[in-house]
Amino acid sequence: MKYTTIQESMDIGTGEVSTRGWVYRERGSNKIKFIVLRDSTNIIQCVLKKDNFANNWDEIDGIQMETSIELEGTIKKDDRAPTGYEIDVKEYKIVGSSDSFPITKDQSPEFLLDNRHLWIRSRKMVSIMKIRSAYGQAREEFFKKEGFWRFDTPVLQPNQSEGGSTVFEVKYYKVKTYLAQTWQLYGEAAIFALEKVYNTGPTFRAEKSKTSRHLSEFWMVETEVAWWKLKEITEFAKKELKYCISKVAEELPEEFESLGRDPKELIAMCKKEWPTMKYREVLKILEEKDGMKVKFGKDLRTVEEETIMQHFDTPVVVTHYPQEVMAFYKPKDPDYPDEALCFDMLCPEVGIEIVGGSERSLDIKEMSENLKRDGENPDDYQFYFDLRKYGSVPHSGYGVGLERVIQWICKLDNIKDAIGFPRTMLRWTP
Ligand code: 4AD
Ligand code: MG
């Protein structure tokens, strides 16, 4: 038997088809049973009439949500059906029965998270997961076109790199290691061999905050490039995001629409100029337009990021954050030593940081001091310092928070929906 998917069956549009999937909805009377069948491609209405199935009517009558079924029948256009087609079923086979599927209408978010292994079948999650997948495929294409090499690095690492307070410790034989907070330090080692490298990997932060934008395990798309400085790396980050976002918006318009996002708006946004400004300019705007006084010397807080982004309809790159609160590897700007040669990209609407990056310090002494300032032992970073000893070159890189981007472009209230099985401070099952 050759099965066509539901979408293929509708593309064929007339005649006999065989298809299979899961019962998405069902309703019936004592003469007729309507089943809306779903597969990964779409949904379709199927009709089973008692006249044709007098012997099996009890079984058909008992078919419940999420039963898996193979069926054969005649497909035809029907404007009353949810996707414009209907199959008049001639033969059917129940492959796996389903009894009282726990997910019914109007369940609480917590219930849906407890049943995430079942909830990922929902139309909403399917759309999000397709967009996420297509985004990953676009990203691979982009980096290949731009002449980058993919470089895989360890998840178990000997050091912290983005702040000791958020590392997860792992018992590793007789010693202690940490789950990767970033790929970066190894990406930096690789540029001396491959020059332009990237990767996407699971990234771990023991975030104590229970916000709608923080996960404990997330996927970061990271890039590191030899020779490039801040200006080149920030422009390249914009290019990457513009490419990937417009590509998925072009490929999956219906998925975006089902999530309440107009894909044409995303494509238009990617054609615009995305501004770059200094952190000090952000403080000025916050003061002049929003009456918010922020003292130079702190990272931007959520409320400040949200407020500044209300003035923009594209992402904005903010550079030159205060050096003293930045990660140890972010160098001072030689002309303005209280500022670091670093950047964040903030996105409109939700107003969250989606990208973080910088030039990398080449000064071992400066980095050792920063590490001591952060309570770390510089001796643990000898492998990293070696990179500055043997043919050091200027270089820069950045990391894109994949779930943050998906949350924003899919208009999701919570970052947890941007990943199949979220991990947060309060959630590590299923
Ligand atoms: O700004 P971050 O901490 O930068 C780095 O880790 C650099 N080492 C990256 C690099 O230069 N190669 O993290 C980068 C991005 C953030 O902008 C944010 O989008 C995302 O990762 N991110 C998180 N996403 C979800 N949950 C969390 N707890 C996140 N922490 C960071
Ligand atoms: Mg950051």
Side-chain angles (χ1 to χ4, degrees):
M1 178 68 60
K2 175 149 174 11
Y3 292 95
T4 46
T5 65
I6 290 174
Q7 186 58 54
E8 285 164 350
S9 305
M10 292 196 292
D11 292 343
I12 296 166
T14 62
E16 300 304 302
V17 292
S18 304
T19 193
R20 54 190 166 185
W22 293 262
V23 174
Y24 177 58
R25 281 197 296 262
E26 52 76 27
R27 69 190 159 86
S29 65
N30 54 9
K31 286 210 183 85
I32 194 160
K33 177 101 172 178
F34 286 103
I35 285 175
V36 177
L37 198 71
R38 65 163 186 87
D39 70 1
S40 64
T41 67
N42 212 329
I43 57 174
I44 189 165
Q45 179 162 290
C46 308
V47 198
L48 293 95
K49 295 174 191 138
K50 191 173 181 182
D51 289 350
N52 300 334
F53 298 104
N55 298 338
N56 319 52
W57 192 246
D58 284 348
E59 183 181 66
I60 291 173
D61 198 35
I63 290 174
Q64 290 187 36
M65 196 177 160
E66 289 307 313
T67 303
S68 48
I69 301 186
E70 295 171 347
L71 52 82
E72 273 178 72
T74 318
I75 190 165
K76 64 168 175 29
K77 266 204 152 94
D78 186 330
D79 292 340
R80 292 162 305 175
T83 43
Y85 285 90
E86 185 180 85
I87 298 175
D88 186 1
V89 179
K90 302 278 156 56
E91 302 274 349
Y92 80 94
K93 184 178 147 207
I94 292 177
V95 179
S97 63
S98 167
D99 192 3
S100 311
F101 190 65
I103 300 181
T104 50
K105 265 207 164 111
D106 302 325
Q107 298 284 5
S108 72
E110 278 311 299
F111 181 87
L112 297 178
L113 284 163
D114 288 339
N115 289 281
R116 191 68 162 197
H117 51 297
L118 303 175
W119 178 238
I120 56 170
R121 304 175 182 196
S122 64
R123 302 307 291 161
K124 178 181 176 186
M125 287 306 298
V126 166
S127 291
I128 297 167
M129 291 185 299
K130 283 184 181 173
I131 290 170
R132 184 183 164 117
S133 168
Y135 191 96
Q137 289 160 343
R139 178 184 73 225
E140 293 297 311
E141 252 170 50
F142 173 78
F143 282 112
K144 187 154 191 207
K145 266 204 237 234
E146 294 288 332
F148 278 64
W149 297 101
R150 184 185 156 120
F151 185 66
D152 302 324
T153 65
V155 167
L156 293 171
Q157 300 186 358
N159 309 102
Q160 67 84 36
S161 21
E162 298 293 330
S165 65
T166 62
V167 282
F168 281 107
E169 283 181 20
V170 179
K171 192 167 164 279
Y172 186 76
Y173 304 102
K174 289 193 168 141
V175 296
K176 199 163 65 180
T177 57
Y178 306 100
L179 293 179
Q181 284 179 309
T182 176
W183 155 105
Q184 180 194 324
L185 305 198
Y186 296 92
E188 284 186 62
I191 57 127
F192 295 89
L194 301 167
E195 294 189 62
K196 292 167 155 187
V197 289
Y198 77 101
N199 205 349
T200 308
T203 309
F204 303 86
R205 307 265 170 105
E207 303 280 3
K208 311 280 184 309
S209 45
K210 295 165 221 149
T211 74
S212 58
R213 55 182 65 189
H214 285 94
L215 292 165
S216 304
E217 176 175 348
F218 61 100
W219 288 68
M220 212 201 295
V221 187
E222 295 190 78
T223 303
E224 195 70 31
V225 192
W227 315 106
W228 286 8
K229 299 232 172 157
L230 191 60
K231 172 86 182 140
E232 290 157 293
I233 202 74
T234 52
E235 290 309 312
F236 188 75
K238 292 179 194 172
K239 193 175 178 188
E240 175 191 331
L241 270 94
K242 285 179 176 184
Y243 181 92
C244 297
I245 294 171
S246 38
K247 191 80 202 264
V248 284
E250 277 158 20
E251 272 177 16
L252 298 172
E254 282 154 21
E255 273 69 19
F256 280 104
E257 276 155 15
S258 77
L259 295 164
R261 160 72 78 190
D262 180 355
K264 290 196 266 344
E265 253 174 48
L266 287 177
I267 295 167
M269 179 199 65
C270 292
K271 294 203 171 110
K272 289 187 184 166
E273 203 46 54
W274 294 5
T276 297
M277 64 180 64
K278 280 184 128 190
Y279 168 92
R280 283 199 143 101
E281 288 171 62
V282 171
L283 298 195
K284 221 169 131 209
I285 298 175
L286 285 176
E287 178 159 7
E288 283 171 5
K289 290 202 179 159
D290 306 295
M292 273 174 103
K293 268 202 171 181
V294 182
K295 246 179 66 191
F296 180 93
K298 289 223 172 90
D299 205 347
L300 291 178
R301 293 175 307 163
T302 304
V303 47
E304 290 143 12
E305 290 177 342
E306 283 170 359
T307 308
I308 187 73
M309 288 316 293
Q310 281 169 13
H311 303 299
F312 297 93
D313 61 359
T314 68
V316 174
V317 166
V318 179
T319 64
H320 295 85
Y321 283 74
Q323 207 275 337
E324 59 180 317
V325 290
M326 291 290 115
F328 76 96
Y329 55 76
K330 296 191 185 178
K332 287 185 180 131
D333 184 328
D335 299 327
Y336 305 92
D338 58 345
E339 297 176 1
L341 294 170
C342 69
F343 75 100
D344 276 359
M345 189 189 290
L346 310 179
C347 70
E349 300 167 60
V350 260
I352 49 178
E353 176 198 329
I354 49 174
V355 182
S358 73
E359 280 186 31
R360 312 311 189 187
S361 176
L362 305 178
D363 182 337
I364 297 177
K365 199 163 147 265
E366 181 182 278
M367 287 194 282
S368 298
E369 276 159 18
N370 293 344
L371 282 166
K372 282 189 220 149
R373 167 198 78 191
D374 299 341
E376 300 296 328
N377 181 358
D379 292 345
D380 296 339
Y381 294 78
Q382 289 312 316
F383 84 95
Y384 188 66
F385 294 157
D386 269 357
L387 309 176
R388 277 68 180 164
K389 289 184 190 158
Y390 306 106
S392 181
V393 289
H395 59 286
S396 14
Y398 60 91
V400 181
L402 177 60
E403 290 77 11
R404 297 251 179 113
V405 174
I406 299 298
Q407 179 184 7
W408 161 49
I409 63 176
C410 293
K411 277 182 169 286
L412 308 177
D413 294 335
N414 198 300
I415 195 167
K416 283 187 264 195
D417 281 340
I419 186 164
F421 291 94
R423 297 287 177 257
T424 66
M425 196 178 173
L426 300 175
R427 162 106 15 223
W428 54 92
T429 61

